[in-house]
Amino acid sequence: MHNTISEHEGCFSAIICVRNELGLHARPAARIAQEAQKFQCELRLVVDDQEVDAKSILDILSLAAARGTELTLKGWGDDAKQALEHMAHVFQCTLGEGA
Amino acid sequence: MAREILHGVAVSAGISIGKAFFINRQSRRHIPRETIPASKVDYEIDRLTSASAQVREEFEAARAKVPEELREHGAIIDSHLMICQDPKLMLAAATRIRERGITAEWALEQSVESIAAAFSAIDDPYIRERIQDVRVVAERIMQRLLGGKDTSRALEERMVLMAHDLTPADTIELEQDKIMSFATCEGGKTSHTGILARSLQIPAIVGVEGLEETVRDGDLIIVDALRGRILIGPTEDELADYSDLKYQFENYQKSIVRQCKLPGETVDGFRLDIQANIELADELQSVLDNGGEGVGLYRTEYAFLNRKEAPSEEELYREYATIAERLAPAKVTLRTLDVGADKMMNTQEKLEEANPALGLRGIRYCLKNQELFRRQLRAILRASVHGNVAVMFPMISGIKEVRQARYQLNIVRQELDEAGIPYNPNMPVGIMIELPSAVMISETLAQEVDFFSIGTNDLIQYSLGIDRANKHVSYLYQPLHPAIVRSIKYVVDAAHRAGIEVSVCGEVASDPYCIPILMGMQIDAVSIAPQAIPGIKRIIRQVNMEECKQLLRDVLSHATVSKINRKVRQTIFKRFPEELTFFASLLDQDD
């Protein structure tokens, strides 16, 4: 899928596609914020020109990312690499088919 | 007469009689908007933090108590838990306390309003409404700050639960077997309260105006969630009448659900296909549970709305194939993209039409955006090998549009042939009859297609020239206007002469007063909301064709709406005295 993680000057990033029926709504947003809060590093989500905190459910909701939207997940800090790997997996489960 | 009657939207049918019990009432208190000295900043931040920690614990406790069958609602509590510790709310409030030197209450209030302002700019109505979740969570924290008692007060007896808005956490904390019904000020058909009430099978009315101002804790009230009314301080007579009605309704409900899998067949063996109108694959279960025999109208526009770009062919194909597979061998009729007017796509450029309802909508939009149209048709054709799929074009006004649409379909077929992709070459192609012009030429249109579906909602609006959402003219929305009855009959006869099937989708088909008239015309199928299926099947199973035909003859012999409505009411009421007490008819507004 789109889960290849790349690194550029200490900033890790991955591209994720929203695949679930209702888009990034309350339930997946809660799950993403919940998982993101487990890490120390800064985690941000980018859609077009909007960039938000991946640890805030309200920020995630404010993206109003519908099905088919491509998101970039960015992370920097000590545990950024593990965070990205974990989050990419969370996104795949949460926003994958049938979620 | 009751001392007072309030009105709202009935979201879960039923009746309950009991004492009112408000939750969250104490939170409607004065919020101290005060500045504080620098020495008290840390103290205020501590108060805020511990209030939020308490609420988080309550949510966690509620989460642990969610029964298996309500796991869906557990997820809503999860999102409330996350809001409770969200930096946008809590960190922002703490920063406000520090920077502005204000009380924790005031800082929290400001944070909520700033989030509300950001959310109000969101296009997606579902996400925009999530601000209610933020308010609910903040409200709880506010209660703790204000020294409010625990909301999870145990109910001592069975009560009617009243609230400004009700969250799953609120509900689950209370003992559900003591809740007789819900009534809230906020909310609509799709609010959490509505979903929860329906899954718990508890009567509920939401969006009740004046609820908080009028009802007091302990008031005796009747919640009439059949008609969306709340009677406060009812009389002895009203209590007696409603007790009877409640008893009858509960028995009736049990019996129709038990019988919903039986066919929609009249006493004398005339069989009507009872299909469902849906817009999401998620609704399939409810179609099957309610005894639906297929999907007569799948509104495909849902996948196109509220998103930046139109869905891909692959995405649409998967959606349609899933539905086709799950319903097979039953039929699913996919209506092609019907946007415009009240359903504008984000991708649709701002057309700035003066009269969007008379503008670029339905098939007109698709024929102007052929690439998009063919993308959808390719997905539909590819899905056609996975089950019993039919395609239907909306808003047809004349022959040319049918031919142009079919031409696009043929292009797609050729492309699929060339690419060696399988599809059903005999997939039925039909059209919606919802414009008066299509009615008048239905005889010729019938030569061009395999089936008709009469969309009565739009047919009524376009025939009578009224917008029923417009309160100034909505009284003119009359399903049994002679022009409408004659139009429908004209189309049904034209279809049958040409040997094609005709169904009726639209609210008329789920109205117990109208269905016998449609049956008198010998329509082949109806397509209605899944929840309406058991009740309509039950009526069909009790009538015979001769009486339906007689009723139709009577209706056709009258020239005015009021005479027709009176005749229909008399006849149907005589035939189904009990059942009709439970239905709100489209004819009721004529009173």
Side-chain angles (χ1 to χ4, degrees):
Chain A
M1 292 246 171
H2 293 286
N3 286 332
T4 339
I5 298 169
S6 56
E7 195 211 336
H8 181 68
E9 292 176 6
C11 175
F12 293 86
S13 65
I15 294 171
I16 286 132
C17 183
V18 180
R19 299 204 162 285
N20 62 329
E21 194 80 51
L22 294 171
L24 250 183
H25 279 229
R27 208 177 310 177
R31 173 123 168 86
I32 289 159
Q34 211 167 17
E35 295 298 324
Q37 286 183 10
K38 292 179 179 167
F39 295 91
Q40 292 300 316
C41 65
E42 187 97 3
L43 285 167
R44 316 273 301 167
L45 279 170
V46 188
V47 177
D48 300 334
D49 53 350
Q50 243 184 311
E51 179 171 329
V52 303
D53 183 357
K55 295 181 183 182
S56 162
I57 176 177
L58 299 175
D59 262 12
I60 300 173
L61 280 175
S62 72
L63 290 175
R67 179 164 163 168
T69 308
E70 285 207 335
L71 311 159
T72 308
L73 175 66
K74 293 198 302 188
W76 55 92
D78 284 348
D79 51 0
K81 188 159 191 292
Q82 297 98 289
L84 258 283
E85 276 163 7
H86 179 74
M87 291 309 293
H89 177 71
V90 169
F91 267 101
Q92 197 169 13
C93 299
T94 313
L95 302 180
E97 299 301 313
Chain B
M1 260 301 282
R3 275 196 290 120
E4 195 119 29
I5 297 177
L6 302 177
H7 297 268
V9 184
V11 288
S12 178
I15 285 172
S16 78
I17 304 170
K19 283 185 184 163
F21 179 85
F22 263 98
I23 64 164
N24 284 356
R25 167 142 254 171
Q26 62 271 51
S27 67
R28 313 204 60 75
R29 281 184 306 197
H30 171 70
I31 293 165
R33 295 198 179 119
E34 288 159 17
T35 49
I36 49 163
S39 59
K40 281 195 79 183
V41 162
D42 286 340
Y43 171 74
E44 286 296 301
I45 291 178
D46 279 352
R47 282 182 62 226
L48 181 70
T49 319
S50 79
S52 126
Q54 275 178 44
V55 171
R56 210 158 57 222
E57 275 169 31
E58 287 167 23
F59 281 142
E60 270 160 9
R63 181 78 179 84
K65 279 199 275 180
V66 178
E68 186 62 24
E69 67 271 22
L70 293 177
R71 275 187 49 198
E72 188 190 333
H73 306 299
I76 301 165
I77 300 179
D78 274 345
S79 66
H80 287 174
L81 250 171
M82 294 314 295
I83 292 170
C84 198
Q85 59 199 62
D86 198 282
K88 272 268 143 33
L89 185 65
M90 298 316 293
L91 210 61
T95 310
R96 280 191 169 86
I97 296 176
R98 194 175 299 284
E99 287 174 358
R100 303 183 185 177
I102 56 177
T103 57
E105 288 90 343
W106 198 4
L108 180 63
E109 193 186 29
Q110 286 185 356
S111 298
V112 173
E113 289 322 311
S114 122
I115 296 167
F119 268 60
S120 67
I122 294 173
D123 283 340
D124 184 330
Y126 177 84
I127 289 182
R128 202 166 53 227
E129 272 175 34
R130 292 312 97 211
I131 188 60
Q132 292 310 330
D133 294 337
V134 179
R135 291 194 191 280
V136 160
V137 172
E139 184 82 345
R140 277 189 171 236
I141 300 173
M142 191 68 89
Q143 272 177 43
R144 296 296 163 280
L145 285 171
L146 293 167
K149 287 195 216 81
D150 196 351
T151 39
S152 55
R153 296 185 279 171
L155 291 172
E156 281 154 26
E157 51 184 313
R158 295 195 70 201
M159 296 272 194
V160 175
L161 203 61
M162 311 241 139
H164 186 73
D165 198 5
L166 205 53
T167 72
D170 290 333
T171 320
I172 284 158
E173 278 175 359
L174 292 154
E175 293 163 77
Q176 283 156 34
D177 56 351
K178 291 199 177 139
I179 302 171
M180 305 165 77
S181 55
F182 298 147
T184 63
C185 306
E186 298 286 328
K189 280 236 186 261
T190 57
S191 64
H192 293 327
T193 321
I195 299 164
L196 187 69
R198 282 194 295 274
S199 61
L200 293 169
Q201 295 183 311
I202 293 174
I205 302 181
V206 301
V208 185
E209 237 172 271
L211 188 70
E212 284 169 306
E213 294 77 24
T214 323
V215 186
R216 295 284 162 265
D217 265 344
D219 279 354
L220 180 63
I221 63 166
I222 296 175
V223 174
D224 175 358
L226 296 174
R227 291 174 195 78
R229 300 195 303 184
I230 293 180
L231 284 73
I232 305 151
T235 61
E236 289 291 321
D237 283 351
E238 281 166 336
L239 284 171
D241 288 349
Y242 270 100
S243 303
D244 281 352
L245 187 61
K246 175 173 152 55
Y247 178 75
Q248 289 167 25
F249 178 72
E250 284 164 2
N251 281 334
Y252 167 77
Q253 197 62 18
K254 277 182 213 147
S255 75
I256 62 165
V257 172
R258 259 201 313 272
Q259 297 170 348
C260 79
K261 302 282 158 70
L262 295 171
E265 193 175 285
T266 60
V267 181
D268 49 347
F270 179 86
R271 172 83 188 258
L272 194 65
D273 266 342
I274 316 292
Q275 300 166 346
N277 297 341
I278 62 170
E279 48 196 23
L280 281 175
D282 294 355
E283 292 171 277
L284 278 182
Q285 197 52 48
S286 138
V287 175
L288 302 172
D289 289 348
N290 284 297
E293 296 157 355
V295 168
L297 171 61
Y298 186 74
R299 301 186 176 101
T300 61
E301 42 281 358
Y302 188 86
F304 293 80
L305 301 172
N306 295 321
R307 53 188 294 163
K308 295 204 175 82
E309 275 167 38
S312 67
E313 177 187 328
E314 216 41 47
E315 198 179 324
L316 294 174
Y317 161 67
R318 280 197 306 266
E319 178 185 336
Y320 304 157
T322 308
I323 297 167
E325 258 164 29
R326 282 198 57 194
L327 274 176
K331 186 152 92 177
V332 52
T333 303
L334 301 168
R335 180 177 70 185
T336 57
L337 185 59
D338 186 15
V339 290
D342 54 338
K343 289 178 292 191
M344 286 294 182
M345 291 192 295
N346 289 355
T347 41
Q348 217 167 337
E349 54 192 303
K350 293 267 177 279
L351 295 166
E352 291 185 19
E353 294 170 290
N355 296 300
L358 303 177
L360 198 57
R361 55 173 301 197
I363 196 70
R364 307 166 185 178
Y365 179 83
C366 288
L367 291 174
K368 272 257 186 319
N369 294 274
Q370 296 182 356
E371 195 283 324
L372 183 72
F373 189 37
R374 284 199 299 268
R375 185 191 305 179
Q376 184 180 33
L377 292 176
R378 255 195 305 271
I380 292 174
L381 274 170
R382 285 173 59 196
S384 69
V385 294
H386 294 276
N388 190 353
V389 176
V391 68
M392 174 161 82
F393 304 122
M395 281 290 287
I396 293 290
S397 68
I399 296 268
K400 197 171 167 192
E401 282 162 342
V402 182
R403 292 188 178 156
Q404 285 174 334
R406 295 204 76 137
Y407 176 71
Q408 296 294 325
L409 193 65
N410 282 335
I411 294 177
V412 172
R413 284 194 181 121
Q414 276 173 19
E415 285 170 359
L416 291 176
D417 283 338
E418 281 161 23
I421 297 169
Y423 62 90
N424 171 12
N426 302 315
M427 177 179 73
V429 177
I431 55 172
M432 298 276 298
I433 303 286
E434 48 192 341
L435 293 175
S437 62
V439 171
M440 295 314 293
I441 58 161
S442 48
E443 195 134 356
T444 12
L445 287 172
Q447 304 300 323
E448 306 275 323
V449 293
D450 304 313
F451 66 93
F452 282 164
S453 186
I454 306 175
T456 54
N457 295 0
D458 273 336
L459 181 61
I460 295 171
Q461 303 203 82
Y462 287 117
S463 296
L464 304 179
I466 53 114
D467 171 5
R468 71 167 158 163
N470 178 335
K471 65 178 179 193
H472 303 296
V473 292
S474 62
Y475 72 97
L476 287 170
Y477 187 87
Q478 292 154 328
L480 294 186
H481 189 292
I484 303 299
V485 181
R486 288 169 202 198
S487 293
I488 299 174
K489 178 154 193 324
Y490 191 82
V491 174
V492 174
D493 290 346
H496 287 165
R497 272 198 303 276
I500 66 169
E501 289 205 345
V502 55
S503 72
V504 174
C505 59
E507 281 171 46
V508 168
S510 57
D511 191 320
Y513 286 86
C514 302
I515 186 72
I517 301 167
L518 297 177
M519 292 175 66
M521 299 177 190
Q522 293 183 286
I523 55 166
D524 302 287
V526 290
S527 192
I528 58 183
Q531 299 77 15
I533 292 173
I536 284 298
K537 266 195 175 176
R538 160 92 155 215
I539 290 197
I540 293 169
R541 294 180 54 77
Q542 289 181 72
V543 294
N544 66 61
M545 217 40 188
E546 199 35 61
E547 64 178 326
C548 294
K549 285 181 181 165
Q550 184 55 48
L551 180 62
L552 174 65
R553 277 195 292 271
D554 288 345
V555 166
L556 288 170
S557 72
H558 293 301
T560 67
V561 184
S562 52
K563 272 193 182 153
I564 292 175
N565 285 356
R566 205 174 312 134
K567 173 73 200 165
V568 174
R569 271 206 211 96
Q570 279 167 1
T571 312
I572 303 296
F573 204 76
K574 215 178 284 167
R575 261 315 247 109
F576 303 97
E578 297 153 359
E579 306 203 63
L580 293 179
T581 358
F582 310 133
F583 285 99
S585 168
L586 293 170
L587 272 54
D588 283 350
Q589 61 184 1
D590 196 51
D591 289 328

